[in-house]
Amino acid sequence: MEAHRTGSSRRGRTGGGACAYVVHLQSRRMPIEFQIEATCGRARLGKLITPHAIVETPVFMPVGTLGSIKGVPQDLLEELGVRILLGNTYHLYLRPGVETVRRMGGLHGFMAWDRAILTDSGGFQVFSLNELRRVTEEGVTFRSHLDGSSHFLSPESSMEAQIGLGADIIMAFDECTEFPAGRERMRTSMEMTLRWAERSKRYFEEHKNEVPWGSRQSLRSAQGELTSVASLQGERIPSGMAPPNDESAEGRADKSVRATLEGGELGSRGRPGTAVPTWVGPSSTAGRTQSLFGIVQGGMDFRLRKESALRTIDIGFSGYAIGGLSVGEPREVTREVAEATLEHLPADQPRYLMGVGTPEEIASYAGLGVDMMDCVLPTRAARHGLLFTSEGKVSIKQARYAADAGPLDPACGCRVCQRYSRAYLRHLYAANEVLAQVLNTVHNLSFYLDTMRRVRHSIRLGEGARSPSGVSSQPKP
């Protein structure tokens, strides 16, 4: 195990005024590492190393509320370059249920997704229920939006659920302060969030080794490894698999893979559609745990935000999120509060701004030093026919596009812009075809992800986090 070397860093000037900054964190077996590779002003270029993926930051994280990005299969998300996505604890808790997901190896196994996942605590969704909830010191009693059944969510049960879901990064349970709110209400809510943060961390530390990664690993990563071994070694069985007499769950799964390999049915040339087992043996995440992030609240009050940040840091988390924004306040207020809060967050840990925003906004927040962002906007807007392009927003439902033979965005290299005309996209939307939502979502996600690629490239060059105007989406490999 490597020595604990937090605080050790190396700085050096780079072009354009950027400052290289490498942070040496904990052992490689720690749940998460965050390395800042360059800075330009307040903008930071880094890597977030999670148990399932290395994520380049600043990063935009697509929202997969129910364990899926609506209309987009996982292989296409991989093609688009998504390294981390979100799942929603509240919705997954209600359906299909945490135990179902846990038994499938967590969300990674359930979704067949081998890259990183972040789950929220469920606090924001419960906050959104409004008349269907009752908040006490112990937690929140609420009625399901699906069938009206009564449920209770607390810091402890939120942690239990998120551990069962098995995301790489999970969030402390918080109370999202409504807008507008008086100062006394903002303080009361902030104090509740801090007490819940302490309870969240206490439960997490006691149960973090219960994450359901150790027994199963999704086929997709194993299939690539086994196919490579089969082709290079004449279908020899990979070393490290369970011995023939191993009757553990992992051993039975491994023997199933052995039998498939020996039968020539896994990765056989000329048989791309061959059925394969769903699970294989010990995961590369064995011995790893999740990372718990704290959430800063305090409403729109700068002093409360500072106090919340400092006291949350005192509790101690792997990263820090700015919550309670985008709840109805003017966008300029959102930026002011986010900027004021960022001043008080640790420079050597990931900073996560929850629930923002437009392409211009995410580029702007990256310039302020935000490392992680998420928003439902690109996918929700796509389903309503609103598309983001290098030439501005396009409402594809408008009749003026009915005979437009040009691509949606001439500067975009995504599969939608390379193949389909605006006229066809408009026709699909007008005809209420499911394909319209799929193609629109693929384009919007591509635009957002390419915006962040451009931002990271600009920081690397020492140009800061430039706005996405004129962003050019490159063809995907």
Side-chain angles (χ1 to χ4, degrees), residues 4-148:
H4 180 114
R5 295 190 294 170
T6 52
S8 172
S9 62
R10 183 172 65 250
R11 295 177 182 266
R13 279 285 166 191
T14 63
C19 181
Y21 186 100
V22 178
V23 178
H24 302 278
L25 292 178
Q26 316 268 352
S27 158
R28 284 176 294 181
R29 302 306 296 170
M30 293 302 291
I32 196 172
E33 293 182 31
F34 183 56
Q35 300 174 354
I36 301 175
E37 300 183 333
T39 62
C40 186
R42 286 179 285 178
R44 303 128 61 90
L45 179 73
K47 281 190 173 71
L48 184 66
I49 304 172
T50 75
H52 287 89
I54 297 175
V55 180
E56 293 184 311
T57 62
V59 63
F60 175 80
M61 303 178 289
V63 178
T65 300
L66 292 167
S68 74
I69 307 298
K70 286 183 172 61
V72 185
Q74 274 71 310
D75 59 334
L76 185 47
L77 293 174
E78 292 168 351
E79 180 184 321
L80 291 172
V82 176
R83 301 292 299 177
I84 181 170
L85 51 76
L86 269 69
N88 184 271
T89 297
Y90 165 82
H91 287 281
L92 292 166
Y93 164 83
L94 292 177
R95 182 176 56 191
V98 173
E99 184 60 21
T100 295
V101 176
R102 188 191 66 78
R103 288 179 180 273
M104 299 290 288
L107 273 176
H108 291 93
F110 189 58
M111 293 174 58
W113 175 256
D114 297 327
R115 300 183 179 182
I117 300 174
L118 182 150
T119 49
D120 62 16
S121 69
F124 181 79
Q125 282 67 36
V126 170
F127 155 80
S128 301
L129 292 173
N130 213 359
E131 299 300 321
L132 299 178
R133 64 180 169 88
R134 184 171 66 88
V135 181
T136 67
E137 182 67 32
E138 288 305 307
V140 183
T141 302
F142 64 94
R143 292 196 174 276
S144 166
H145 71 286
L146 298 175
D147 59 11

Side-chain angles (χ1 to χ4, degrees), residues 240-298:
M241 296 186 72
N245 63 349
D246 184 353
E247 290 303 319
S248 65
E250 292 88 344
R252 291 193 298 272
D254 285 351
K255 283 191 284 186
S256 174
V257 175
R258 284 175 178 272
T260 305
L261 275 173
E262 290 164 353
E265 294 182 358
L266 182 58
S268 300
R269 291 188 178 93
R271 304 183 63 185
T274 304
V276 290
T278 305
W279 302 105
V280 297
S283 168
S284 61
T285 58
R288 304 289 293 273
T289 63
Q290 299 164 294
S291 294
L292 177 63
F293 280 24
I295 302 179
V296 176
Q297 290 287 352

Side-chain angles (χ1 to χ4, degrees), residues 242-427:
N245 63 349
D246 184 353
E247 290 303 319
S248 65
E250 292 88 344
R252 291 193 298 272
D254 285 351
K255 283 191 284 186
S256 174
V257 175
R258 284 175 178 272
T260 305
L261 275 173
E262 290 164 353
E265 294 182 358
L266 182 58
S268 300
R269 291 188 178 93
R271 304 183 63 185
T274 304
V276 290
T278 305
W279 302 105
V280 297
S283 168
S284 61
T285 58
R288 304 289 293 273
T289 63
Q290 299 164 294
S291 294
L292 177 63
F293 280 24
I295 302 179
V296 176
Q297 290 287 352
M300 306 302 152
D301 188 293
F302 290 4
R303 288 175 293 177
L304 290 178
R305 285 280 172 172
K306 176 181 178 180
E307 181 179 346
S308 177
L310 297 179
R311 291 171 63 184
T312 304
I313 293 167
D314 284 342
I315 297 171
F317 294 93
S318 295
Y320 297 91
I322 302 174
L325 297 178
S326 298
V327 291
E329 77 279 5
R331 287 190 171 180
E332 59 271 19
V333 174
T334 304
R335 180 186 171 91
E336 290 170 357
V337 174
E339 189 170 10
T341 307
L342 284 166
E343 296 177 7
H344 309 293
L345 298 183
D348 60 351
Q349 289 181 274
R351 303 163 174 170
Y352 170 24
L353 180 56
M354 308 176 81
V356 296
T358 66
E360 293 81 8
E361 286 170 341
I362 62 174
S364 175
Y365 285 122
L368 297 178
V370 174
D371 305 300
M372 306 162 67
M373 288 163 277
D374 76 279
C375 189
V376 298
L377 182 58
T379 49
R380 181 175 293 171
R383 296 194 297 274
H384 291 87
L386 181 63
L387 305 174
F388 299 94
T389 78
S390 61
E391 300 174 343
K393 289 179 284 191
V394 169
S395 178
I396 201 65
K397 66 182 76 174
Q398 295 181 1
R400 61 176 167 157
Y401 300 118
D404 190 335
L408 173 62
D409 186 350
C412 181
C414 80
R415 59 166 58 194
V416 177
C417 294
Q418 290 294 300
R419 182 161 190 158
Y420 303 107
S421 67
R422 291 184 175 188
Y424 183 64
L425 295 175
R426 194 264 175 186
H427 158 71

